[in-house]
Amino acid sequence: MYLHVPYCRVRCGYCDFNTYTNLSMGAGASVGDYVGTLATEMRLVRSAMDAAGLPPRPASTVFLGGGTPTMLPVSDLAGMLNLVRDVFGLDGDAEVTTEANPDTVDERALAGLAEAGFTRVSVGMQSAVPHVLRVLDRTHSPQRVPQVVRWAARAGLATSLDLIYGTPGESMEDWRRSLDAAVEIGPDHLSAYALVIEEGTRMWAQVRRGELPVPEDDDEAAKYEMADAVLAQAGYSWYEISNWARPGSECRHNQAYWLDWDWWGAGPGAHSHLGDVRLWNVKHPLAWTNRVAGGRLAVDGHEVVDAGSRELEQVMLGIRLREGLDLANLGGSAGPGSGRTPAHLVPVVAGLVADGLIEPSAAMRGRAVLTLRGRLMADTVTRALTG
Ligand SMILES: C[S@@+](CC[C@H](N)C(=O)[O-])C[C@H]1O[C@@H](n2cnc3c(N)ncnc32)[C@H](O)[C@@H]1O
Ligand code: SF4
C-alpha cells in the first residue's frame, strides 16, 4: 500500500511532487480532516474490490509518502496504519515506512511511530552543506539529521537517508562532505538521486533565466561514482541504481515497485498497479475529497498495458536492480526460467558486455547485471534489450 500525504511546510524549488503548502483547503481536504477522507476512500476501494470478486490481500509493505507525511500528528499517521489493518489487513512482519523531513519530527514523535507499528523512517537529508541546502530551499540545519536518526534508532526504527547530488554550486568536495556526513550518521539505508530539473518548478525557471547553471552529466556521473565508492567502503551495497543498504536493510516496498508486484495507492494523485492495469487518482486534494465525499472512487483514469509495454516496463525497472534481469524472460523462444538467452538477444548481450555495460559472468548465466559504467547508462542498456 502507498498512502500519499500532499502537504509540506515549504515547497522546495526543485520538487514537482503532488504537494501543497496551503493546509486549509476546505472540508475534507485540510490537514485536520485528511485521515477521515482517506478512510472513506479506502472503504470505497475495498467495496469495489469485493464487488469485483477480488479477494482481500493483506499488505506486506506500507509506505507513507508525500509531500511530508510527518506534517500530520503521530495519531493521524497511526490512524492511517490502523486503516490499512482494518480495511485490507496487514502481514505480521510487514515493513511500514514513513518519509519525514528532519524538522517535522522529534524524539517523541519517532517513539510514537514505532509504538504504532511503523518499522522504518526515511529522512530527507539531501546534503550536509549549508549553501547546497539553501539552493534546494531546505529549511533544516545539517545538525538536525544525525539527531533525528539517533532518536529513530533508539525508538527501534530502521533508518534511511535521502541525498541529492548535482545541485547547482555543489562542488565535488561538497558532495564528499555530504557522503562522509551520511556515513558518519550511519543509517541502515541510503538513497542518492541526481537532481532533476523538473519542468515548471521554480528551479527550472531559475535555470531558464540563467540564474542557476544547468547540471552537467559528467559532474553527476563523477558524483555517482564517488557515492558508490564511499558507500561501498562504509559497508553499504548497491541493490538498485540509486539505493544502497547494509545487508538485510533493503527497502522491501521499493523492491515491490521494481519487481512488478501489485500495489494500491490511496490519496490525491496516488497511482496503483494491479497486474497489467495501471490506475491513478484525481490529483488535487479538494477534487479528490469531493469525489470521495460523493461516494465515488477517487480513480481518475486507468490504462491496460499491452504485453510489449509491460515487457519494456519490466526491463526498465528490473535492469536497475543488483540481481539484474533474467534474459530468458525477454520475448523470444528460450522461455522463462530456461536460463537461456533468446537467440535474437545473443549479439546484443555480447555487444553490451564488450562495451563494459553488463557483467560478463552474469551474462554467461543468462542474466543482465549492470556494471558501474552500465549503471550510468541504464537507459542505453534498456533500449538495446528492448529495441
Ligand atoms: C517526498 S520527498 C521525501 C520526504 C520529504 N518531503 C523531504 O523532502 O524530506 C522524496 C524525495 O525525493 C527526492 N526528490 C524530490 N524531487 C527531486 C528532484 N527534482 N530531483 C531529485 N530528487 C528529488 C528528494 O531526495 C526527496 O527526499
Ligand atoms: S522535496 Fe519533500 S519537502 Fe520539499 S517540496 Fe518536495 S515533498 Fe515537500
Side-chain angles (χ1 to χ4, degrees):
M1 288 281 326
Y2 172 78
L3 306 179
H4 190 71
V5 179
Y7 310 109
C8 286
R9 195 178 275 169
V10 173
R11 175 105 201 182
C12 309
Y14 59 88
C15 178
D16 79 339
F17 286 44
N18 188 29
T19 187
Y20 305 83
T21 49
N22 51 332
L23 306 182
S24 352
M25 293 193 204
S30 297
V31 166
D33 317 319
Y34 188 72
V35 179
T37 311
L38 199 67
T40 311
E41 183 196 359
M42 283 167 61
R43 293 198 178 102
L44 285 167
V45 170
R46 178 61 204 270
S47 304
M49 286 183 173
D50 288 345
L54 293 171
R57 296 163 69 180
S60 54
T61 73
V62 180
F63 195 97
L64 272 62
T68 305
T70 45
M71 289 290 290
L72 301 181
V74 170
S75 53
D76 277 3
L77 303 183
M80 287 164 72
L81 182 55
N82 282 333
L83 269 173
V84 174
R85 255 190 215 108
D86 295 348
V87 179
F88 296 100
L90 185 66
D91 282 350
D93 64 346
E95 177 191 273
V96 183
T97 306
T98 183
E99 290 183 331
N101 269 27
D103 45 13
T104 57
V105 278
D106 58 19
E107 187 167 15
R108 238 180 100 194
L110 290 158
L113 288 171
E115 200 164 312
F118 283 77
T119 63
R120 202 172 167 272
V121 63
S122 170
V123 180
M125 170 176 173
Q126 321 309 353
S127 169
V129 179
H131 77 85
V132 176
L133 289 172
R134 261 197 308 278
V135 174
L136 293 173
D137 296 324
R138 303 295 293 190
T139 53
H140 65 268
S141 78
Q143 295 77 20
R144 179 81 180 171
V145 179
Q147 204 174 25
V148 166
V149 169
R150 256 195 318 275
W151 288 331
R154 208 178 297 154
L157 296 166
T159 52
S160 179
L161 293 175
D162 279 356
L163 293 170
I164 287 182
Y165 57 93
T167 299
E170 181 191 59
S171 65
M172 285 304 280
E173 293 71 42
D174 291 333
W175 177 231
R176 175 80 207 210
R177 239 175 96 191
S178 293
L179 287 167
D180 286 345
V183 162
E184 174 73 27
I185 293 168
D188 302 292
H189 179 284
L190 282 135
S191 307
Y193 305 111
L195 179 70
V196 179
I197 308 288
E198 303 281 2
E199 194 173 333
T201 58
R202 210 163 52 243
M203 187 175 270
W204 180 76
Q206 288 172 299
V207 169
R208 218 174 40 151
R209 289 195 299 264
E211 293 163 15
L212 290 176
V214 183
E216 285 174 22
D217 288 351
D218 285 353
D219 175 69
E220 292 194 339
K223 285 176 177 164
Y224 181 85
E225 287 172 350
M226 181 186 272
D228 193 58
V230 171
L231 297 178
Q233 172 74 26
Y236 297 94
S237 310
W238 79 281
Y239 71 100
E240 192 272 348
I241 291 182
S242 306
N243 287 277
W244 290 260
R246 295 196 199 282
S249 294
E250 296 82 5
C251 173
R252 222 188 292 160
H253 188 81
N254 281 342
Q255 285 177 308
Y257 290 147
W258 300 318
L259 291 171
D260 196 29
W261 291 9
D262 287 343
W263 77 84
W264 192 267
H271 284 234
S272 304
H273 177 295
L274 287 181
D276 55 4
V277 186
R278 311 285 172 265
L279 311 97
W280 53 91
N281 273 358
V282 175
K283 198 168 171 192
H284 195 279
L286 206 48
W288 167 79
T289 299
N290 290 338
R291 278 281 193 111
V292 170
R296 291 165 60 208
L297 284 176
V299 174
D300 194 30
H302 78 278
E303 182 187 8
V304 180
V305 291
D306 59 31
S309 312
R310 190 142 193 217
E311 181 171 299
L312 178 64
E313 240 180 31
Q314 285 169 350
V315 173
M316 241 163 48
L317 297 171
I319 196 68
R320 299 178 63 88
L321 295 170
R322 177 72 184 97
E323 61 261 40
L325 276 179
D326 183 355
L327 288 163
N329 280 337
L330 302 183
S333 51
S338 67
R340 277 186 293 121
T341 302
H344 73 287
L345 284 180
V346 170
V348 176
V349 168
L352 291 170
V353 169
D355 290 342
L357 298 179
I358 62 173
E359 288 181 0
S361 55
M364 297 278 286
R365 288 181 279 111
R367 296 195 76 82
V369 174
L370 296 175
T371 58
L372 178 57
R373 182 173 140 79
R375 280 187 263 160
L376 296 168
M377 298 175 70
D379 292 348
T380 305
V381 177
T382 299
R383 271 197 303 276
L385 292 174
T386 53

